[in-house]
Amino acid sequence: MRTPYLRLLAAVAAALLVPPIAGIARAEPPGVVQEDRDTAGTAVARATCAGDSLPEPGLQGDVPAAERDSGRSTQGYRCNISRLGGYAGRGAGITSTSFDHCVYLGSFFPGNLLGPAQGVQVIDVADPANPVLTTTLTEPAMLAGTWESLKVNAARKLLVGTGVPALTGAGLISVYDISDCAHPRLLNPGPGTDLALPVPITAHEGGFSPDGRTYWASGVVPGIVSAVDLTDPAAPRVIWQGMPGQSMHGMGLRADGNRLYLANNMGGLTVLDTSAVQRRDPDPQVPVLAQLTWTDGWATQQNVPVTYDGVPYLFSADEAGSGGVKLIDISDDTHPRVVNTLKLEINLPEHRDSAVASSMGGSLFAYDAHYCAADRPVDPTALACGWISSGIRVFDVRDPFQVREIAYYNPPARTGQNSELWNSPHALASIIGVPLLGAPSVMQAVEQGVFDPEQAASSRTGEVAFGDLSTDWCFSAPEWRGNQLWAACADNGLLTLQLSPDVYTPPADQHSTVGS
């Protein structure tokens, strides 16, 4: 039973040594480099909770130390949302995705190999109250851990994931036909799947061009970005590769596929002109049009392109440093501008001490945004985000300059169940108790004179190792399904949630969008 896994480990190690394709392109110097040095200091308006809500007891987004220690957090918190059903399995990896009536739960290496459902779990959600496992995807990329690469293109009914065993992977990519969403069919048994035929990519994150012909893969160390041609899904091949920055992350693409809005791990946005790749020029060039950086967040995760009254914007999420979600005006994509920021109270500089007090002992991440989905790309009315330890947060964004929170669901903590959650990155990372990814924002608060060391002390102070699961980690974008949200959190797995009709009415043309 161990032999296939040992072969997989050897193949992954070999794939990491595969060099990028010859002639890797350094992206041209940017036409504009802009820096935004302002720190957003206002939280969005709180939701007004009604019905059978179990609201948060203190700061918006916080799970206080006393609630973690007493076990109260194992009941979770909810406001204007009810739980319909779910499928926990052994956890949900980092990010998951969905198509039609199915959800694909990401895999996390090496825990997913322990079973009982190795690889990517395929969940049929035709009955949202009773989701069921239909099969698992066990190709090498799926066993190696899909990190943030698992994506769907609805136009071509394709599911793609790359193998990412430890932060960055290489060589492994699987392409599936999901016409029958509950039973994906592998299309590329050769390149990317055959361990002897690696595709020369680095992998961590990925996303589709809107037409589904190109899968963009990005690695974080180094920041190599690859355009993988899927015109023939059975034969994925790299048609452009470049390094537009030292460490790149997630992305969003314009509707015509001619612009790629790439997240920069240092905290910012890089705009790439991808029209030559979209046209399939013989020797495509992908120039950098602009770079925009900021200092109140980093590890920028994802960009969701939307338009309001015909003007293009991005919702851009930072997964570390309490940057929240920024609204970026890209009407001139050589001069992008931050025009608004969405933060919870726990993200504000004056509450960094409270965040340390409650999150100490809960591992690397704490109260940061990660992945969001707008309920439609044109004039969106709502945005739903996985906000890591703050759970699922839902915002009214009809006026993007006057955003307010309308609902949230922070799932029951699975405290003490670490050994049952082999596919949860939270359970694995909990060996570290310190919320290290929030350190820059703490230092900024200290510099601003708003960090109180006494306020940062709590019953959890000193829990620097072997942390607990006193909150969940909600990384995935909650996907819109009418008044429902299908969400995946690391410990609780798939959650099907119902929004109160008092706070949300689905638009007739609702179309959940994550940007790639």
Side-chain angles (χ1 to χ4, degrees), residues 19-25 200 241:
I21 59 174
I24 182 171
Q241 196 166 63

Side-chain angles (χ1 to χ4, degrees), residues 427-452:
L428 183 62
S430 63
I431 192 171
I432 299 171
V434 181
L436 292 174
L437 295 178
S441 63
V442 170
M443 291 187 288
Q444 287 174 340
V446 171
E447 291 172 358
Q448 295 173 33
V450 294
F451 188 89
D452 182 352

Side-chain angles (χ1 to χ4, degrees), residues 20-82:
I21 59 174
I24 182 171
R26 283 264 180 190
E28 296 176 13
V32 177
V33 177
Q34 297 178 315
E35 295 188 353
D36 189 305
R37 295 297 181 184
D38 293 331
T39 299
T42 304
V44 299
R46 284 177 170 238
T48 300
C49 302
D52 64 347
S53 296
L54 290 175
E56 298 164 331
L59 292 169
Q60 182 188 35
D62 189 24
V63 182
E67 303 256 314
R68 295 173 183 247
D69 294 343
S70 70
R72 164 63 186 86
S73 66
T74 61
Q75 300 176 45
Y77 307 90
R78 64 178 184 269
C79 175
N80 303 328
I81 291 181
S82 58

Side-chain angles (χ1 to χ4, degrees), residues 415-441:
T415 307
Q417 300 178 50
N418 302 55
S419 62
E420 301 172 26
L421 301 172
W422 302 324
N423 192 44
S424 167
H426 188 199
L428 183 62
S430 63
I431 192 171
I432 299 171
V434 181
L436 292 174
L437 295 178
S441 63

